[in-house]
Amino acid sequence: MMNQEQKADVCRRLKKIEGQIRGIVKMIEDDRYCVDVLSQTRAISSAIRSVENLVMKQHLQTCVKHSMQSNDIDDQNEKIAEIMELFSKFRKG
Amino acid sequence: MMNQEQKADVCRRLKKIEGQIRGIVKMIEDDRYCVDVLSQTRAISSAIRSVENLVMKQHLQTCVKHSMQSNDIDDQNEKIAEIMELFSKFRKG
Amino acid sequence: MMNQEQKADVCRRLKKIEGQIRGIVKMIEDDRYCVDVLSQTRAISSAIRSVENLVMKQHLQTCVKHSMQSNDIDDQNEKIAEIMELFSKFRKG
Amino acid sequence: MMNQEQKADVCRRLKKIEGQIRGIVKMIEDDRYCVDVLSQTRAISSAIRSVENLVMKQHLQTCVKHSMQSNDIDDQNEKIAEIMELFSKFRKG
């Protein structure tokens, strides 16, 4: 679905997040102030949201667009139901 | 875009929300406990989210589906860009 | 809990939101484009969040601060449990 | 701030999240379906939120409670301002 460049970008972001999580483990072990820890976890949630936006964008621009241009109405209905579910679920957290 | 029944459903929900907001104004005027006020505002946010899910569902099942089944690639690209923006913006609040 | 000025500010904001909801009912009745409707509901959610931030701020600066300065440990525990619940619930939507 | 047991619990959760992120990198490399990838990122966001709730709980039950029981009004004001900021910021994402 994603081309090599897009996959490399998403993986690079995920590996950075992995490093940030290890940083938080260290903050906990070092008894760092809770509010500073929360500031870091918030940065991670924000980074994950960026990854999700990228993946969603690729999904729309490849799978969904391809489905649009096919004449497969069942597949189109399925894609629409999936987007609806993503929209609804992602806002609930 | 929405049929009469769907429009009536969404409007009925919005009018209920309007009533709930008037209820909160009264709670404030009556010096009700802040935590109870926040519980009511949260119910309103949840009701608005339900309205948004309904409107989004109609949007996907009418405008977007119609665009999918047309051969208008510019319109399809526009619809995809809009969904992407909605997905991204709605999660930022 | 809130003084007259704070209550007036919150009520003024709520009445503005009430007007915005009536505006959305009209948009639905006029068959306005779904994405424009969603843009308005998002503005309302954002306005409600501002009201909640104001109410929470008053709660912290009056009820919680007062509890802090009392020696009533049961009340302090209750206030802390309430803040925890608000923090957790409000992020779930 | 946190005792050994609480720190161990939070670190165990963070390490599990680290593993989940490595799992997503693998899903991307294996060209797994975007919607399944998004389902996993959502699980991670939810796990991070649980960690944040735990850290916030400890913060309230130790730092904030301790501040409450002191007579240091400056420190109490600072704690209240911090909670207000956390409440507001965490809801913006």
Side-chain angles (χ1 to χ4, degrees), chain D residues 8-36:
Chain D
D9 180 25
V10 168
C11 289
R12 188 183 51 74
R13 287 167 183 264
L14 288 168
K15 277 163 191 172
K16 194 180 158 197
I17 294 170
E18 223 189 294
Q20 286 174 295
I21 288 177
R22 273 192 298 270
I24 297 180
V25 171
K26 190 153 167 27
M27 287 178 86
I28 301 285
E29 289 168 348
D30 292 353
D31 289 311
R32 292 279 297 279
Y33 187 46
C34 297
V35 175
D36 295 336

PDB file of all heavy atoms in Angstrom, chain D residues 8-36:
ATOM      1  N   ALA D   8       7.672   0.011  39.213  1.00  0.00           N
ATOM      2  CA  ALA D   8       7.806  -1.252  38.462  1.00  0.00           C
ATOM      3  C   ALA D   8       6.588  -1.459  37.561  1.00  0.00           C
ATOM      4  O   ALA D   8       6.728  -1.890  36.410  1.00  0.00           O
ATOM      5  CB  ALA D   8       7.961  -2.420  39.439  1.00  0.00           C
ATOM      6  N   ASP D   9       5.409  -1.131  38.065  1.00  0.00           N
ATOM      7  CA  ASP D   9       4.178  -1.293  37.271  1.00  0.00           C
ATOM      8  C   ASP D   9       4.214  -0.386  36.042  1.00  0.00           C
ATOM      9  O   ASP D   9       3.959  -0.835  34.914  1.00  0.00           O
ATOM     10  CB  ASP D   9       2.956  -0.975  38.155  1.00  0.00           C
ATOM     11  CG  ASP D   9       1.639  -1.117  37.392  1.00  0.00           C
ATOM     12  OD1 ASP D   9       1.598  -1.884  36.405  1.00  0.00           O
ATOM     13  OD2 ASP D   9       0.652  -0.453  37.775  1.00  0.00           O
ATOM     14  N   VAL D  10       4.552   0.890  36.250  1.00  0.00           N
ATOM     15  CA  VAL D  10       4.583   1.840  35.133  1.00  0.00           C
ATOM     16  C   VAL D  10       5.659   1.425  34.110  1.00  0.00           C
ATOM     17  O   VAL D  10       5.402   1.412  32.896  1.00  0.00           O
ATOM     18  CB  VAL D  10       4.822   3.287  35.635  1.00  0.00           C
ATOM     19  CG1 VAL D  10       5.158   4.229  34.482  1.00  0.00           C
ATOM     20  CG2 VAL D  10       3.584   3.794  36.385  1.00  0.00           C
ATOM     21  N   CYS D  11       6.842   1.023  34.589  1.00  0.00           N
ATOM     22  CA  CYS D  11       7.919   0.636  33.668  1.00  0.00           C
ATOM     23  C   CYS D  11       7.551  -0.626  32.887  1.00  0.00           C
ATOM     24  O   CYS D  11       7.826  -0.713  31.686  1.00  0.00           O
ATOM     25  CB  CYS D  11       9.233   0.422  34.428  1.00  0.00           C
ATOM     26  SG  CYS D  11       9.908   1.992  35.022  1.00  0.00           S
ATOM     27  N   ARG D  12       6.900  -1.566  33.541  1.00  0.00           N
ATOM     28  CA  ARG D  12       6.449  -2.784  32.861  1.00  0.00           C
ATOM     29  C   ARG D  12       5.474  -2.425  31.738  1.00  0.00           C
ATOM     30  O   ARG D  12       5.563  -2.936  30.621  1.00  0.00           O
ATOM     31  CB  ARG D  12       5.767  -3.689  33.893  1.00  0.00           C
ATOM     32  CG  ARG D  12       5.390  -5.083  33.411  1.00  0.00           C
ATOM     33  CD  ARG D  12       4.640  -5.855  34.515  1.00  0.00           C
ATOM     34  NE  ARG D  12       3.523  -5.086  35.080  1.00  0.00           N
ATOM     35  CZ  ARG D  12       2.358  -4.853  34.464  1.00  0.00           C
ATOM     36  NH1 ARG D  12       2.137  -5.331  33.256  1.00  0.00           N
ATOM     37  NH2 ARG D  12       1.402  -4.143  35.056  1.00  0.00           N
ATOM     38  N   ARG D  13       4.565  -1.511  32.008  1.00  0.00           N
ATOM     39  CA  ARG D  13       3.609  -1.083  30.971  1.00  0.00           C
ATOM     40  C   ARG D  13       4.324  -0.392  29.809  1.00  0.00           C
ATOM     41  O   ARG D  13       4.008  -0.606  28.649  1.00  0.00           O
ATOM     42  CB  ARG D  13       2.586  -0.102  31.554  1.00  0.00           C
ATOM     43  CG  ARG D  13       1.557  -0.772  32.461  1.00  0.00           C
ATOM     44  CD  ARG D  13       0.790   0.293  33.261  1.00  0.00           C
ATOM     45  NE  ARG D  13      -0.160  -0.287  34.191  1.00  0.00           N
ATOM     46  CZ  ARG D  13      -1.441  -0.456  33.944  1.00  0.00           C
ATOM     47  NH1 ARG D  13      -1.950  -0.069  32.794  1.00  0.00           N
ATOM     48  NH2 ARG D  13      -2.245  -1.008  34.835  1.00  0.00           N
ATOM     49  N   LEU D  14       5.306   0.460  30.150  1.00  0.00           N
ATOM     50  CA  LEU D  14       6.035   1.177  29.090  1.00  0.00           C
ATOM     51  C   LEU D  14       6.818   0.207  28.218  1.00  0.00           C
ATOM     52  O   LEU D  14       6.867   0.359  26.993  1.00  0.00           O
ATOM     53  CB  LEU D  14       6.966   2.232  29.703  1.00  0.00           C
ATOM     54  CG  LEU D  14       6.266   3.465  30.295  1.00  0.00           C
ATOM     55  CD1 LEU D  14       7.244   4.286  31.137  1.00  0.00           C
ATOM     56  CD2 LEU D  14       5.659   4.345  29.196  1.00  0.00           C
ATOM     57  N   LYS D  15       7.413  -0.813  28.856  1.00  0.00           N
ATOM     58  CA  LYS D  15       8.171  -1.789  28.064  1.00  0.00           C
ATOM     59  C   LYS D  15       7.254  -2.592  27.149  1.00  0.00           C
ATOM     60  O   LYS D  15       7.637  -2.952  26.039  1.00  0.00           O
ATOM     61  CB  LYS D  15       9.009  -2.694  28.985  1.00  0.00           C
ATOM     62  CG  LYS D  15      10.318  -1.998  29.343  1.00  0.00           C
ATOM     63  CD  LYS D  15      11.028  -2.592  30.527  1.00  0.00           C
ATOM     64  CE  LYS D  15      12.166  -1.647  30.966  1.00  0.00           C
ATOM     65  NZ  LYS D  15      12.790  -2.067  32.223  1.00  0.00           N
ATOM     66  N   LYS D  16       6.043  -2.858  27.634  1.00  0.00           N
ATOM     67  CA  LYS D  16       5.073  -3.563  26.786  1.00  0.00           C
ATOM     68  C   LYS D  16       4.717  -2.679  25.572  1.00  0.00           C
ATOM     69  O   LYS D  16       4.632  -3.176  24.445  1.00  0.00           O
ATOM     70  CB  LYS D  16       3.811  -3.884  27.603  1.00  0.00           C
ATOM     71  CG  LYS D  16       2.914  -4.895  26.905  1.00  0.00           C
ATOM     72  CD  LYS D  16       1.665  -5.221  27.708  1.00  0.00           C
ATOM     73  CE  LYS D  16       0.576  -5.771  26.780  1.00  0.00           C
ATOM     74  NZ  LYS D  16      -0.746  -5.740  27.381  1.00  0.00           N
ATOM     75  N   ILE D  17       4.551  -1.380  25.810  1.00  0.00           N
ATOM     76  CA  ILE D  17       4.245  -0.448  24.710  1.00  0.00           C
ATOM     77  C   ILE D  17       5.400  -0.430  23.704  1.00  0.00           C
ATOM     78  O   ILE D  17       5.181  -0.442  22.487  1.00  0.00           O
ATOM     79  CB  ILE D  17       3.975   0.978  25.258  1.00  0.00           C
ATOM     80  CG1 ILE D  17       2.683   0.990  26.101  1.00  0.00           C
ATOM     81  CG2 ILE D  17       3.889   2.000  24.122  1.00  0.00           C
ATOM     82  CD1 ILE D  17       2.438   2.280  26.878  1.00  0.00           C
ATOM     83  N   GLU D  18       6.636  -0.434  24.236  1.00  0.00           N
ATOM     84  CA  GLU D  18       7.812  -0.474  23.368  1.00  0.00           C
ATOM     85  C   GLU D  18       7.736  -1.690  22.438  1.00  0.00           C
ATOM     86  O   GLU D  18       7.981  -1.576  21.234  1.00  0.00           O
ATOM     87  CB  GLU D  18       9.058  -0.596  24.257  1.00  0.00           C
ATOM     88  CG  GLU D  18      10.230   0.277  23.864  1.00  0.00           C
ATOM     89  CD  GLU D  18      11.453  -0.110  24.674  1.00  0.00           C
ATOM     90  OE1 GLU D  18      11.430   0.083  25.915  1.00  0.00           O
ATOM     91  OE2 GLU D  18      12.430  -0.620  24.080  1.00  0.00           O
ATOM     92  N   GLY D  19       7.368  -2.842  23.000  1.00  0.00           N
ATOM     93  CA  GLY D  19       7.224  -4.065  22.200  1.00  0.00           C
ATOM     94  C   GLY D  19       6.114  -3.920  21.152  1.00  0.00           C
ATOM     95  O   GLY D  19       6.262  -4.363  20.014  1.00  0.00           O
ATOM     96  N   GLN D  20       5.006  -3.260  21.551  1.00  0.00           N
ATOM     97  CA  GLN D  20       3.894  -3.072  20.606  1.00  0.00           C
ATOM     98  C   GLN D  20       4.335  -2.202  19.431  1.00  0.00           C
ATOM     99  O   GLN D  20       3.930  -2.418  18.296  1.00  0.00           O
ATOM    100  CB  GLN D  20       2.702  -2.411  21.305  1.00  0.00           C
ATOM    101  CG  GLN D  20       1.934  -3.336  22.259  1.00  0.00           C
ATOM    102  CD  GLN D  20       0.867  -2.580  23.035  1.00  0.00           C
ATOM    103  OE1 GLN D  20       1.190  -1.702  23.848  1.00  0.00           O
ATOM    104  NE2 GLN D  20      -0.391  -2.904  22.808  1.00  0.00           N
ATOM    105  N   ILE D  21       5.189  -1.208  19.721  1.00  0.00           N
ATOM    106  CA  ILE D  21       5.653  -0.332  18.642  1.00  0.00           C
ATOM    107  C   ILE D  21       6.544  -1.112  17.680  1.00  0.00           C
ATOM    108  O   ILE D  21       6.423  -0.977  16.464  1.00  0.00           O
ATOM    109  CB  ILE D  21       6.378   0.907  19.219  1.00  0.00           C
ATOM    110  CG1 ILE D  21       5.324   1.813  19.853  1.00  0.00           C
ATOM    111  CG2 ILE D  21       7.155   1.651  18.128  1.00  0.00           C
ATOM    112  CD1 ILE D  21       5.848   3.031  20.522  1.00  0.00           C
ATOM    113  N   ARG D  22       7.413  -1.970  18.238  1.00  0.00           N
ATOM    114  CA  ARG D  22       8.229  -2.815  17.354  1.00  0.00           C
ATOM    115  C   ARG D  22       7.324  -3.690  16.480  1.00  0.00           C
ATOM    116  O   ARG D  22       7.605  -3.917  15.311  1.00  0.00           O
ATOM    117  CB  ARG D  22       9.193  -3.680  18.166  1.00  0.00           C
ATOM    118  CG  ARG D  22      10.511  -2.947  18.457  1.00  0.00           C
ATOM    119  CD  ARG D  22      11.571  -3.916  18.997  1.00  0.00           C
ATOM    120  NE  ARG D  22      11.147  -4.516  20.257  1.00  0.00           N
ATOM    121  CZ  ARG D  22      11.408  -4.003  21.458  1.00  0.00           C
ATOM    122  NH1 ARG D  22      12.100  -2.893  21.573  1.00  0.00           N
ATOM    123  NH2 ARG D  22      10.982  -4.611  22.544  1.00  0.00           N
ATOM    124  N   GLY D  23       6.214  -4.148  17.065  1.00  0.00           N
ATOM    125  CA  GLY D  23       5.252  -4.952  16.303  1.00  0.00           C
ATOM    126  C   GLY D  23       4.661  -4.174  15.136  1.00  0.00           C
ATOM    127  O   GLY D  23       4.434  -4.728  14.053  1.00  0.00           O
ATOM    128  N   ILE D  24       4.420  -2.874  15.351  1.00  0.00           N
ATOM    129  CA  ILE D  24       3.847  -2.064  14.268  1.00  0.00           C
ATOM    130  C   ILE D  24       4.881  -1.831  13.162  1.00  0.00           C
ATOM    131  O   ILE D  24       4.553  -1.871  11.982  1.00  0.00           O
ATOM    132  CB  ILE D  24       3.309  -0.721  14.812  1.00  0.00           C
ATOM    133  CG1 ILE D  24       2.177  -1.005  15.805  1.00  0.00           C
ATOM    134  CG2 ILE D  24       2.790   0.140  13.669  1.00  0.00           C
ATOM    135  CD1 ILE D  24       1.568   0.230  16.411  1.00  0.00           C
ATOM    136  N   VAL D  25       6.142  -1.598  13.565  1.00  0.00           N
ATOM    137  CA  VAL D  25       7.202  -1.458  12.548  1.00  0.00           C
ATOM    138  C   VAL D  25       7.180  -2.697  11.646  1.00  0.00           C
ATOM    139  O   VAL D  25       7.201  -2.584  10.416  1.00  0.00           O
ATOM    140  CB  VAL D  25       8.598  -1.302  13.209  1.00  0.00           C
ATOM    141  CG1 VAL D  25       9.711  -1.374  12.160  1.00  0.00           C
ATOM    142  CG2 VAL D  25       8.678   0.024  13.967  1.00  0.00           C
ATOM    143  N   LYS D  26       7.049  -3.864  12.263  1.00  0.00           N
ATOM    144  CA  LYS D  26       7.037  -5.109  11.481  1.00  0.00           C
ATOM    145  C   LYS D  26       5.798  -5.171  10.568  1.00  0.00           C
ATOM    146  O   LYS D  26       5.898  -5.587   9.400  1.00  0.00           O
ATOM    147  CB  LYS D  26       7.072  -6.307  12.443  1.00  0.00           C
ATOM    148  CG  LYS D  26       7.312  -7.603  11.694  1.00  0.00           C
ATOM    149  CD  LYS D  26       7.977  -8.698  12.467  1.00  0.00           C
ATOM    150  CE  LYS D  26       7.857 -10.023  11.673  1.00  0.00           C
ATOM    151  NZ  LYS D  26       7.738  -9.860  10.211  1.00  0.00           N
ATOM    152  N   MET D  27       4.639  -4.730  11.095  1.00  0.00           N
ATOM    153  CA  MET D  27       3.420  -4.711  10.268  1.00  0.00           C
ATOM    154  C   MET D  27       3.614  -3.835   9.020  1.00  0.00           C
ATOM    155  O   MET D  27       3.182  -4.191   7.929  1.00  0.00           O
ATOM    156  CB  MET D  27       2.231  -4.176  11.067  1.00  0.00           C
ATOM    157  CG  MET D  27       1.696  -5.141  12.127  1.00  0.00           C
ATOM    158  SD  MET D  27       0.321  -4.396  13.083  1.00  0.00           S
ATOM    159  CE  MET D  27      -1.097  -4.778  12.024  1.00  0.00           C
ATOM    160  N   ILE D  28       4.262  -2.684   9.233  1.00  0.00           N
ATOM    161  CA  ILE D  28       4.508  -1.765   8.102  1.00  0.00           C
ATOM    162  C   ILE D  28       5.424  -2.444   7.080  1.00  0.00           C
ATOM    163  O   ILE D  28       5.150  -2.456   5.880  1.00  0.00           O
ATOM    164  CB  ILE D  28       5.175  -0.452   8.595  1.00  0.00           C
ATOM    165  CG1 ILE D  28       4.310   0.284   9.627  1.00  0.00           C
ATOM    166  CG2 ILE D  28       5.531   0.461   7.414  1.00  0.00           C
ATOM    167  CD1 ILE D  28       3.127   1.007   9.085  1.00  0.00           C
ATOM    168  N   GLU D  29       6.526  -3.029   7.597  1.00  0.00           N
ATOM    169  CA  GLU D  29       7.485  -3.687   6.696  1.00  0.00           C
ATOM    170  C   GLU D  29       6.826  -4.831   5.924  1.00  0.00           C
ATOM    171  O   GLU D  29       7.173  -5.095   4.780  1.00  0.00           O
ATOM    172  CB  GLU D  29       8.688  -4.202   7.496  1.00  0.00           C
ATOM    173  CG  GLU D  29       9.573  -3.058   8.006  1.00  0.00           C
ATOM    174  CD  GLU D  29      10.611  -3.506   9.032  1.00  0.00           C
ATOM    175  OE1 GLU D  29      10.514  -4.654   9.541  1.00  0.00           O
ATOM    176  OE2 GLU D  29      11.510  -2.699   9.342  1.00  0.00           O
ATOM    177  N   ASP D  30       5.876  -5.509   6.567  1.00  0.00           N
ATOM    178  CA  ASP D  30       5.188  -6.650   5.928  1.00  0.00           C
ATOM    179  C   ASP D  30       3.992  -6.210   5.082  1.00  0.00           C
ATOM    180  O   ASP D  30       3.197  -7.059   4.665  1.00  0.00           O
ATOM    181  CB  ASP D  30       4.690  -7.631   7.009  1.00  0.00           C
ATOM    182  CG  ASP D  30       5.830  -8.335   7.724  1.00  0.00           C
ATOM    183  OD1 ASP D  30       6.988  -8.166   7.282  1.00  0.00           O
ATOM    184  OD2 ASP D  30       5.574  -9.036   8.722  1.00  0.00           O
ATOM    185  N   ASP D  31       3.830  -4.890   4.871  1.00  0.00           N
ATOM    186  CA  ASP D  31       2.711  -4.376   4.060  1.00  0.00           C
ATOM    187  C   ASP D  31       1.338  -4.806   4.565  1.00  0.00           C
ATOM    188  O   ASP D  31       0.451  -5.109   3.762  1.00  0.00           O
ATOM    189  CB  ASP D  31       2.860  -4.816   2.591  1.00  0.00           C
ATOM    190  CG  ASP D  31       4.001  -4.094   1.909  1.00  0.00           C
ATOM    191  OD1 ASP D  31       4.054  -2.854   2.019  1.00  0.00           O
ATOM    192  OD2 ASP D  31       4.835  -4.763   1.265  1.00  0.00           O
ATOM    193  N   ARG D  32       1.184  -4.826   5.877  1.00  0.00           N
ATOM    194  CA  ARG D  32      -0.128  -5.205   6.428  1.00  0.00           C
ATOM    195  C   ARG D  32      -1.145  -4.100   6.142  1.00  0.00           C
ATOM    196  O   ARG D  32      -0.798  -2.927   5.952  1.00  0.00           O
ATOM    197  CB  ARG D  32      -0.005  -5.450   7.936  1.00  0.00           C
ATOM    198  CG  ARG D  32       0.840  -6.691   8.242  1.00  0.00           C
ATOM    199  CD  ARG D  32       0.040  -7.956   8.097  1.00  0.00           C
ATOM    200  NE  ARG D  32      -1.049  -7.973   9.061  1.00  0.00           N
ATOM    201  CZ  ARG D  32      -0.910  -8.316  10.346  1.00  0.00           C
ATOM    202  NH1 ARG D  32       0.259  -8.715  10.796  1.00  0.00           N
ATOM    203  NH2 ARG D  32      -1.948  -8.302  11.156  1.00  0.00           N
ATOM    204  N   TYR D  33      -2.414  -4.471   6.182  1.00  0.00           N
ATOM    205  CA  TYR D  33      -3.508  -3.555   5.836  1.00  0.00           C
ATOM    206  C   TYR D  33      -3.544  -2.349   6.790  1.00  0.00           C
ATOM    207  O   TYR D  33      -3.513  -2.500   8.014  1.00  0.00           O
ATOM    208  CB  TYR D  33      -4.833  -4.332   5.882  1.00  0.00           C
ATOM    209  CG  TYR D  33      -6.019  -3.571   5.386  1.00  0.00           C
ATOM    210  CD1 TYR D  33      -5.968  -2.841   4.200  1.00  0.00           C
ATOM    211  CD2 TYR D  33      -7.220  -3.568   6.096  1.00  0.00           C
ATOM    212  CE1 TYR D  33      -7.067  -2.136   3.742  1.00  0.00           C
ATOM    213  CE2 TYR D  33      -8.326  -2.872   5.639  1.00  0.00           C
ATOM    214  CZ  TYR D  33      -8.237  -2.162   4.462  1.00  0.00           C
ATOM    215  OH  TYR D  33      -9.325  -1.457   4.004  1.00  0.00           O
ATOM    216  N   CYS D  34      -3.620  -1.158   6.204  1.00  0.00           N
ATOM    217  CA  CYS D  34      -3.572   0.103   6.967  1.00  0.00           C
ATOM    218  C   CYS D  34      -4.549   0.113   8.146  1.00  0.00           C
ATOM    219  O   CYS D  34      -4.214   0.584   9.231  1.00  0.00           O
ATOM    220  CB  CYS D  34      -3.940   1.285   6.064  1.00  0.00           C
ATOM    221  SG  CYS D  34      -2.814   1.538   4.704  1.00  0.00           S
ATOM    222  N   VAL D  35      -5.750  -0.376   7.923  1.00  0.00           N
ATOM    223  CA  VAL D  35      -6.765  -0.326   8.977  1.00  0.00           C
ATOM    224  C   VAL D  35      -6.347  -1.184  10.170  1.00  0.00           C
ATOM    225  O   VAL D  35      -6.615  -0.828  11.323  1.00  0.00           O
ATOM    226  CB  VAL D  35      -8.155  -0.725   8.418  1.00  0.00           C
ATOM    227  CG1 VAL D  35      -9.196  -0.803   9.516  1.00  0.00           C
ATOM    228  CG2 VAL D  35      -8.586   0.270   7.333  1.00  0.00           C
ATOM    229  N   ASP D  36      -5.637  -2.299   9.897  1.00  0.00           N
ATOM    230  CA  ASP D  36      -5.127  -3.124  10.997  1.00  0.00           C
ATOM    231  C   ASP D  36      -3.989  -2.407  11.728  1.00  0.00           C
ATOM    232  O   ASP D  36      -3.865  -2.508  12.947  1.00  0.00           O
ATOM    233  CB  ASP D  36      -4.631  -4.474  10.456  1.00  0.00           C
ATOM    234  CG  ASP D  36      -5.771  -5.300   9.868  1.00  0.00           C
ATOM    235  OD1 ASP D  36      -6.928  -5.075  10.270  1.00  0.00           O
ATOM    236  OD2 ASP D  36      -5.506  -6.148   8.996  1.00  0.00           O
TER     237      ASP D  36
END
